[in-house]
Amino acid sequence: HFGSNGDIMNDLNDLVAIETTWKNRVTPLVTITNLTSEGFSSDLAHQVLNNPQARNNLVNNIFYLVSRKGYGGVNIDFERVKAEDRDIFTGFLRQLGERLKPAGYVLTIAVPAKTSEDIPWLKGYDYGGIGAVVNYMFIMAYDWHHAGSEPGPVAPITEVQRTIEFAIKSVPRRKLIIGVPLYGYNWSIPYRSGTVASAISNQNAIKTAMRYQSPIQYSKEYKSPFFQYRDQAGQMHEVWFEDVRSMSEKMVLVRKFGLQAIGAWQLTLGFTPGPWLLKKFFTIRTV
């Protein structure tokens, strides 16, 4: 996390994790985010990006953190960037990249999924400009339906493909990593506006279906599994998640469009068939 003056607030005991990652021939990256106790803050990002002193301070602090702790690079995860900060955000990334690259560090970024430039709340992300200055772009291709929305597929294949087709127009394919969810959502139905669904891991979704002996259905349109069940209190639920079939479809897209890789949020949720699927569809490279 960072403050309004560009200082980084880092109290993580991460040295063992960093050392273990390197020993397994995987490059550890430190994530820098505008997440606050109230959520991702557009105002915090705006304040730092538009203050040259704070922006320079943040760049220097990121470089110092990476080099001091032994990371291999950084992942920038600024969410809800304002439309008015579009160019200054790309400029910040360029400045950071120019600082990191000579020392051999990697600059990556997590960005929301875009299917066009006409989406008002995503205008702060210039795919072309960002893609020109980062090593890799992780597209968070999920949450088309989310905790605050009506029930539906979290990562429908139709929207994932549209996102890829839009991204490759301005970003080199070998820089693109498509993010997939290791989770779904459990909605109470009928859906009522203002209610919040609970997140559920893919593995727990399957266990829930088994527990309530509910048959898992599969949307041929969205390439996504779902099911309904009634709990002990009589409340009906609808669950959308990911399984081997839906994950395979997304891996097929990564191969079809010649992208760099597939990624996931988030690993601690687990996905038992994940390693098998990766080996089936990809050649795994460790560096």
Side-chain angles (χ1 to χ4, degrees):
H1 302 173
F2 60 89
S4 58
N5 61 355
D7 285 349
I8 292 177
M9 294 165 278
N10 174 47
D11 56 358
L12 295 177
N13 183 14
D14 48 6
L15 295 181
V16 173
I18 295 169
E19 292 172 358
T20 304
T21 306
W22 281 119
K23 287 179 181 177
N24 285 277
R25 298 173 62 205
V26 177
T27 303
L29 307 177
V30 59
T31 295
I32 306 298
T33 175
N34 62 329
L35 187 64
T36 70
S37 58
E38 287 79 36
F40 289 100
S41 174
S42 302
D43 292 335
L44 175 61
H46 175 81
Q47 187 173 357
V48 172
L49 291 173
N50 287 276
N51 182 326
Q53 183 175 350
R55 189 174 65 247
N56 291 336
N57 191 36
L58 180 57
V59 168
N60 291 332
N61 283 328
I62 291 173
F63 180 85
Y64 177 71
L65 176 63
V66 170
S67 58
R68 178 174 62 89
K69 288 209 166 186
Y71 283 102
V74 63
N75 176 259
I76 298 299
D77 183 18
F78 288 14
E79 302 196 19
R80 300 181 180 176
V81 173
K82 297 181 178 181
E84 62 190 276
D85 294 330
R86 176 185 176 100
D87 292 338
I88 195 71
F89 181 46
T90 302
F92 161 75
L93 294 170
R94 181 178 296 107
Q95 180 183 353
L96 179 59
E98 290 172 350
R99 184 71 193 277
L100 294 172
K101 185 176 179 179
Y105 297 126
V106 176
L107 172 60
T108 72
I109 186 170
V111 297
K114 293 178 63 169
T115 53
S116 77
E117 289 292 359
D118 300 325
I119 305 172
W121 57 90
L122 297 179
K123 287 185 178 292
Y125 300 90
D126 176 4
Y127 269 21
I130 292 172
V133 299
V134 301
N135 296 100
Y136 300 109
M137 178 188 292
F138 179 99
I139 299 180
M140 298 179 284
Y142 35 76
D143 274 7
W144 272 275
H145 291 87
H146 49 84
S149 77
E150 71 282 356
V154 178
I157 198 69
T158 49
E159 296 305 307
V160 174
Q161 179 163 333
R162 288 181 62 207
T163 296
I164 293 173
E165 290 171 344
F166 175 72
I168 61 177
K169 292 178 181 178
S170 57
V171 182
R173 297 172 190 239
R174 287 301 178 181
K175 288 189 175 185
L176 291 172
I177 300 172
I178 293 300
V180 298
L182 297 188
Y183 64 90
Y185 290 104
N186 184 336
W187 287 270
S188 294
I189 56 173
Y191 170 75
R192 295 179 179 84
S193 179
T195 59
V196 178
S198 58
I200 186 170
S201 71
N202 293 332
Q203 310 232 118
N204 283 338
I206 294 174
K207 291 179 180 178
T208 300
M210 294 173 64
R211 176 184 177 187
Y212 290 97
Q213 299 183 19
S214 175
I216 294 175
Q217 303 177 65
Y218 191 75
S219 167
K220 293 183 179 180
E221 178 182 3
Y222 301 121
K223 307 295 185 185
S224 185
F226 66 98
F227 63 92
Q228 294 183 349
Y229 71 94
R230 187 181 301 276
D231 64 23
Q232 293 93 331
Q235 174 65 54
M236 285 295 297
H237 295 257
E238 184 167 314
V239 178
W240 289 79
F241 64 107
E242 301 286 329
D243 65 3
V244 170
R245 295 167 295 178
S246 62
M247 285 293 192
S248 295
E249 294 287 351
K250 294 172 178 61
M251 292 182 180
V252 167
L253 285 184
V254 171
R255 289 183 55 170
K256 174 183 176 182
F257 287 97
L259 309 183
Q260 173 61 228
I262 195 166
W265 181 261
Q266 50 105 338
L267 291 180
T268 60
L269 292 175
F271 189 60
T272 301
W276 179 83
L277 281 174
L278 289 174
K279 292 175 183 177
K280 179 177 176 63
F281 283 95
F282 305 110
T283 299
I284 309 301
R285 185 184 66 199
T286 55
V287 294

